[in-house]
Structure formats: C-alpha cells, structure tokens
Amino acid sequence: MKKLKALYITGHSLGGAMAIIAAAIIHSSSELEPIKNVLRGVYTFGAPMVGGRVFSETFNTAFGAHLFNHVYGHDVVPKMPPRTMGSFIPFGKQYVSTPYGWQLERRFVRQAILGGLSMGIGVMAFVRNQFPLLNWIPLHVSWADHSPLNYLRTSQIVYPGSEFG
C-alpha cells in the first residue's frame, strides 16, 4: 500500500461544512498527525458557516490558509445559519463567481438575519429566474444560485492565455 502524499477535502453545501469539520478534527487530534501533515487544502462550494468566534479563530490559525470557500452569485446557503441561531463567523479565503471564473474576495458574505425570510426570498429568486420578464426584480439571495452545476461551470472557465502559463 502506497503512503498518502497529499490530501484534499472538498464538498458542496452540507458536504462543504462537513469538509471543514473533518479538517478541524484532523487538526485537533494527535492521533491524526500523519494526516494533518499531508492535508493540502479544503475546498468548499456553497457551504454554510460552521462555527462561532472561538472555532473560527482556532481553526483559521490551524488551516485557514488552506481553506478555500467558493460562493456563486447570490447563493443563500453561505449566509446560513441565520443570526437568530447564533453568531457564526466564516474564515479561510473566499472566492466569488465572475464571468471569468473565481475571484478572491476580501470581504466574506454576511450572515443572514432571519432564516425564514431569507429562504422565502431565495425561493422567489428561483421563481423569478424561470421567467425572464421578472429579472428586473432585485433579490440578494437565491436558491437557483446554489446548484452544484453553477459551481462546476464557474470552476471550468479558463482564462485566455492561461493554457500557455
């Protein structure tokens, strides 16, 4: 059996939150030291926030430089859980979708204030996207933007000239 040389953990939505928790467990356990030494990156796509201030500060120090959070458009899930469930704080690096692929964003998405309201607006945005005549209505959260297909398509965009670099 070959020795593990590199480990990357990834997930979409709840799977992304579980990827962060798995990395936190790896960094918290002395028994998993060999795995911690080969953990190269944690990549999340449309993942909700996982922990509060202490969790975020602790694990931002432990593996924040290797945590890459991706947020497509107005995806509602990265804004969850709502503030009514407590204060959750994102960490690591956040990338947002652009027409040219993923771009590093200095500011994290903000936690939603009310879950029910955000979910309702997210459903309205999904319906709006089905009817192009309604696209003039500005909505800042969307369930349609949470589709894994959006994340996949953005990840496949190739910058002009990058094939030569």
Side-chain angles (χ1 to χ4, degrees), residues 61-85:
T61 301
F63 64 88
H66 301 290
L67 173 59
F68 307 94
N69 300 296
H70 296 78
V71 178
Y72 181 87
H74 295 293
D75 187 351
V76 66
V77 174
K79 300 173 195 279
M80 294 293 139
R83 186 160 298 283
T84 54
M85 295 182 71

mmCIF file of all heavy atoms in Angstrom, residues 61-85:
data_model
loop_
_atom_site.group_PDB
_atom_site.id
_atom_site.type_symbol
_atom_site.label_atom_id
_atom_site.label_comp_id
_atom_site.label_asym_id
_atom_site.label_seq_id
_atom_site.Cartn_x
_atom_site.Cartn_y
_atom_site.Cartn_z
ATOM 1 N N THR A 61 -6.257 29.813 12.347
ATOM 2 C CA THR A 61 -4.819 29.702 12.628
ATOM 3 C C THR A 61 -4.293 28.335 12.182
ATOM 4 O O THR A 61 -3.221 28.234 11.595
ATOM 5 C CB THR A 61 -4.553 29.898 14.137
ATOM 6 O OG1 THR A 61 -5.036 31.182 14.516
ATOM 7 C CG2 THR A 61 -3.074 29.797 14.454
ATOM 8 N N ALA A 62 -5.072 27.276 12.433
ATOM 9 C CA ALA A 62 -4.616 25.912 12.139
ATOM 10 C C ALA A 62 -4.560 25.621 10.635
ATOM 11 O O ALA A 62 -3.571 25.079 10.147
ATOM 12 C CB ALA A 62 -5.525 24.901 12.834
ATOM 13 N N PHE A 63 -5.639 25.942 9.896
ATOM 14 C CA PHE A 63 -5.644 25.594 8.471
ATOM 15 C C PHE A 63 -6.333 26.627 7.586
ATOM 16 O O PHE A 63 -6.631 26.353 6.424
ATOM 17 C CB PHE A 63 -6.260 24.200 8.248
ATOM 18 C CG PHE A 63 -7.710 24.072 8.614
ATOM 19 C CD1 PHE A 63 -8.721 24.359 7.705
ATOM 20 C CD2 PHE A 63 -8.080 23.640 9.883
ATOM 21 C CE1 PHE A 63 -10.049 24.221 8.047
ATOM 22 C CE2 PHE A 63 -9.407 23.492 10.234
ATOM 23 C CZ PHE A 63 -10.396 23.785 9.301
ATOM 24 N N GLY A 64 -6.528 27.825 8.091
ATOM 25 C CA GLY A 64 -7.208 28.873 7.323
ATOM 26 C C GLY A 64 -6.540 29.210 6.000
ATOM 27 O O GLY A 64 -7.205 29.528 5.018
ATOM 28 N N ALA A 65 -5.224 29.126 5.947
ATOM 29 C CA ALA A 65 -4.509 29.413 4.695
ATOM 30 C C ALA A 65 -4.773 28.347 3.637
ATOM 31 O O ALA A 65 -4.518 28.571 2.451
ATOM 32 C CB ALA A 65 -3.008 29.524 4.959
ATOM 33 N N HIS A 66 -5.294 27.193 4.057
ATOM 34 C CA HIS A 66 -5.578 26.093 3.133
ATOM 35 C C HIS A 66 -7.080 25.866 2.950
ATOM 36 O O HIS A 66 -7.480 24.830 2.418
ATOM 37 C CB HIS A 66 -4.928 24.800 3.632
ATOM 38 C CG HIS A 66 -3.448 24.917 3.783
ATOM 39 N ND1 HIS A 66 -2.593 25.011 2.707
ATOM 40 C CD2 HIS A 66 -2.666 24.993 4.881
ATOM 41 C CE1 HIS A 66 -1.354 25.126 3.141
ATOM 42 N NE2 HIS A 66 -1.371 25.123 4.454
ATOM 43 N N LEU A 67 -7.900 26.833 3.411
ATOM 44 C CA LEU A 67 -9.356 26.728 3.282
ATOM 45 C C LEU A 67 -9.819 27.704 2.213
ATOM 46 O O LEU A 67 -9.582 28.907 2.317
ATOM 47 C CB LEU A 67 -10.044 27.041 4.618
ATOM 48 C CG LEU A 67 -11.573 27.123 4.602
ATOM 49 C CD1 LEU A 67 -12.203 25.821 4.112
ATOM 50 C CD2 LEU A 67 -12.096 27.473 5.991
ATOM 51 N N PHE A 68 -10.480 27.180 1.187
ATOM 52 C CA PHE A 68 -10.931 27.983 0.057
ATOM 53 C C PHE A 68 -12.449 27.832 -0.089
ATOM 54 O O PHE A 68 -12.933 26.795 -0.537
ATOM 55 C CB PHE A 68 -10.220 27.537 -1.223
ATOM 56 C CG PHE A 68 -8.721 27.535 -1.067
ATOM 57 C CD1 PHE A 68 -8.047 26.376 -0.699
ATOM 58 C CD2 PHE A 68 -7.994 28.689 -1.254
ATOM 59 C CE1 PHE A 68 -6.669 26.367 -0.538
ATOM 60 C CE2 PHE A 68 -6.617 28.700 -1.094
ATOM 61 C CZ PHE A 68 -5.949 27.538 -0.734
ATOM 62 N N ASN A 69 -13.181 28.874 0.323
ATOM 63 C CA ASN A 69 -14.646 28.888 0.254
ATOM 64 C C ASN A 69 -15.071 29.540 -1.057
ATOM 65 O O ASN A 69 -14.607 30.629 -1.381
ATOM 66 C CB ASN A 69 -15.215 29.703 1.421
ATOM 67 C CG ASN A 69 -14.833 29.134 2.761
ATOM 68 O OD1 ASN A 69 -15.216 28.027 3.092
ATOM 69 N ND2 ASN A 69 -14.059 29.881 3.532
ATOM 70 N N HIS A 70 -15.962 28.896 -1.796
ATOM 71 C CA HIS A 70 -16.448 29.427 -3.065
ATOM 72 C C HIS A 70 -17.932 29.752 -2.940
ATOM 73 O O HIS A 70 -18.706 28.921 -2.445
ATOM 74 C CB HIS A 70 -16.224 28.411 -4.182
ATOM 75 C CG HIS A 70 -14.780 28.127 -4.427
ATOM 76 N ND1 HIS A 70 -14.026 27.306 -3.620
ATOM 77 C CD2 HIS A 70 -13.933 28.582 -5.380
ATOM 78 C CE1 HIS A 70 -12.784 27.254 -4.069
ATOM 79 N NE2 HIS A 70 -12.706 28.024 -5.136
ATOM 80 N N VAL A 71 -18.314 30.950 -3.411
ATOM 81 C CA VAL A 71 -19.710 31.402 -3.350
ATOM 82 C C VAL A 71 -20.130 31.849 -4.740
ATOM 83 O O VAL A 71 -19.527 32.764 -5.312
ATOM 84 C CB VAL A 71 -19.890 32.564 -2.343
ATOM 85 C CG1 VAL A 71 -21.328 33.035 -2.330
ATOM 86 C CG2 VAL A 71 -19.443 32.140 -0.949
ATOM 87 N N TYR A 72 -21.178 31.219 -5.262
ATOM 88 C CA TYR A 72 -21.682 31.564 -6.584
ATOM 89 C C TYR A 72 -22.825 32.568 -6.472
ATOM 90 O O TYR A 72 -23.815 32.321 -5.768
ATOM 91 C CB TYR A 72 -22.176 30.312 -7.322
ATOM 92 C CG TYR A 72 -22.688 30.632 -8.699
ATOM 93 C CD1 TYR A 72 -21.819 30.681 -9.786
ATOM 94 C CD2 TYR A 72 -24.019 30.928 -8.906
ATOM 95 C CE1 TYR A 72 -22.271 31.001 -11.044
ATOM 96 C CE2 TYR A 72 -24.492 31.253 -10.162
ATOM 97 C CZ TYR A 72 -23.616 31.293 -11.229
ATOM 98 O OH TYR A 72 -24.065 31.635 -12.478
ATOM 99 N N GLY A 73 -22.700 33.680 -7.172
ATOM 100 C CA GLY A 73 -23.783 34.664 -7.266
ATOM 101 C C GLY A 73 -24.365 35.050 -5.921
ATOM 102 O O GLY A 73 -23.652 35.447 -5.003
ATOM 103 N N HIS A 74 -25.672 34.887 -5.803
ATOM 104 C CA HIS A 74 -26.397 35.247 -4.578
ATOM 105 C C HIS A 74 -26.850 34.000 -3.814
ATOM 106 O O HIS A 74 -27.917 33.998 -3.185
ATOM 107 C CB HIS A 74 -27.609 36.126 -4.913
ATOM 108 C CG HIS A 74 -27.242 37.448 -5.490
ATOM 109 N ND1 HIS A 74 -26.596 38.418 -4.773
ATOM 110 C CD2 HIS A 74 -27.414 37.958 -6.724
ATOM 111 C CE1 HIS A 74 -26.388 39.472 -5.530
ATOM 112 N NE2 HIS A 74 -26.877 39.217 -6.731
ATOM 113 N N ASP A 75 -26.057 32.948 -3.879
ATOM 114 C CA ASP A 75 -26.377 31.695 -3.175
ATOM 115 C C ASP A 75 -26.736 31.995 -1.719
ATOM 116 O O ASP A 75 -25.997 32.664 -0.999
ATOM 117 C CB ASP A 75 -25.166 30.760 -3.247
ATOM 118 C CG ASP A 75 -25.440 29.370 -2.705
ATOM 119 O OD1 ASP A 75 -26.513 29.142 -2.099
ATOM 120 O OD2 ASP A 75 -24.569 28.508 -2.874
ATOM 121 N N VAL A 76 -27.875 31.495 -1.276
ATOM 122 C CA VAL A 76 -28.371 31.759 0.073
ATOM 123 C C VAL A 76 -27.646 30.922 1.130
ATOM 124 O O VAL A 76 -27.466 31.368 2.264
ATOM 125 C CB VAL A 76 -29.903 31.541 0.153
ATOM 126 C CG1 VAL A 76 -30.267 30.083 -0.056
ATOM 127 C CG2 VAL A 76 -30.468 32.055 1.457
ATOM 128 N N VAL A 77 -27.177 29.735 0.791
ATOM 129 C CA VAL A 77 -26.627 28.812 1.782
ATOM 130 C C VAL A 77 -25.374 29.341 2.490
ATOM 131 O O VAL A 77 -25.259 29.187 3.706
ATOM 132 C CB VAL A 77 -26.407 27.408 1.172
ATOM 133 C CG1 VAL A 77 -25.710 26.478 2.155
ATOM 134 C CG2 VAL A 77 -27.749 26.823 0.749
ATOM 135 N N PRO A 78 -24.424 30.002 1.801
ATOM 136 C CA PRO A 78 -23.253 30.521 2.525
ATOM 137 C C PRO A 78 -23.596 31.589 3.574
ATOM 138 O O PRO A 78 -22.769 31.912 4.412
ATOM 139 C CB PRO A 78 -22.376 31.116 1.414
ATOM 140 C CG PRO A 78 -22.755 30.341 0.201
ATOM 141 C CD PRO A 78 -24.227 30.101 0.360
ATOM 142 N N LYS A 79 -24.810 32.108 3.546
ATOM 143 C CA LYS A 79 -25.248 33.105 4.530
ATOM 144 C C LYS A 79 -25.898 32.448 5.753
ATOM 145 O O LYS A 79 -26.346 33.118 6.664
ATOM 146 C CB LYS A 79 -26.247 34.065 3.891
ATOM 147 C CG LYS A 79 -25.668 34.825 2.718
ATOM 148 C CD LYS A 79 -26.751 35.622 2.019
ATOM 149 C CE LYS A 79 -26.365 36.111 0.692
ATOM 150 N NZ LYS A 79 -25.627 37.217 0.451
ATOM 151 N N MET A 80 -25.954 31.135 5.755
ATOM 152 C CA MET A 80 -26.619 30.384 6.820
ATOM 153 C C MET A 80 -25.592 29.834 7.798
ATOM 154 O O MET A 80 -24.446 29.665 7.443
ATOM 155 C CB MET A 80 -27.417 29.225 6.215
ATOM 156 C CG MET A 80 -28.584 29.667 5.361
ATOM 157 S SD MET A 80 -29.834 30.453 6.371
ATOM 158 C CE MET A 80 -30.302 31.818 5.343
ATOM 159 N N PRO A 81 -25.980 29.466 8.991
ATOM 160 C CA PRO A 81 -27.294 29.625 9.609
ATOM 161 C C PRO A 81 -27.574 31.101 9.907
ATOM 162 O O PRO A 81 -26.651 31.905 9.993
ATOM 163 C CB PRO A 81 -27.199 28.820 10.898
ATOM 164 C CG PRO A 81 -25.789 28.417 11.065
ATOM 165 C CD PRO A 81 -25.029 28.793 9.841
ATOM 166 N N PRO A 82 -28.852 31.436 10.044
ATOM 167 C CA PRO A 82 -29.206 32.837 10.300
ATOM 168 C C PRO A 82 -28.752 33.287 11.687
ATOM 169 O O PRO A 82 -28.516 32.463 12.574
ATOM 170 C CB PRO A 82 -30.726 32.838 10.190
ATOM 171 C CG PRO A 82 -31.127 31.449 10.511
ATOM 172 C CD PRO A 82 -30.020 30.568 10.004
ATOM 173 N N ARG A 83 -28.630 34.589 11.851
ATOM 174 C CA ARG A 83 -28.175 35.177 13.113
ATOM 175 C C ARG A 83 -29.084 34.773 14.272
ATOM 176 O O ARG A 83 -28.632 34.704 15.415
ATOM 177 C CB ARG A 83 -28.106 36.693 12.999
ATOM 178 C CG ARG A 83 -27.513 37.299 14.242
ATOM 179 C CD ARG A 83 -26.972 38.684 14.066
ATOM 180 N NE ARG A 83 -25.885 38.853 13.139
ATOM 181 C CZ ARG A 83 -24.618 38.537 13.378
ATOM 182 N NH1 ARG A 83 -24.266 37.990 14.509
ATOM 183 N NH2 ARG A 83 -23.686 38.783 12.485
ATOM 184 N N THR A 84 -30.347 34.473 14.002
ATOM 185 C CA THR A 84 -31.258 34.058 15.074
ATOM 186 C C THR A 84 -30.812 32.751 15.721
ATOM 187 O O THR A 84 -31.266 32.412 16.804
ATOM 188 C CB THR A 84 -32.702 33.911 14.542
ATOM 189 O OG1 THR A 84 -32.699 33.022 13.420
ATOM 190 C CG2 THR A 84 -33.279 35.254 14.136
ATOM 191 N N MET A 85 -29.904 32.014 15.063
ATOM 192 C CA MET A 85 -29.382 30.761 15.616
ATOM 193 C C MET A 85 -28.033 30.953 16.292
ATOM 194 O O MET A 85 -27.405 30.000 16.719
ATOM 195 C CB MET A 85 -29.275 29.703 14.517
ATOM 196 C CG MET A 85 -30.625 29.304 13.959
ATOM 197 S SD MET A 85 -30.486 28.034 12.704
ATOM 198 C CE MET A 85 -30.026 26.629 13.699
#
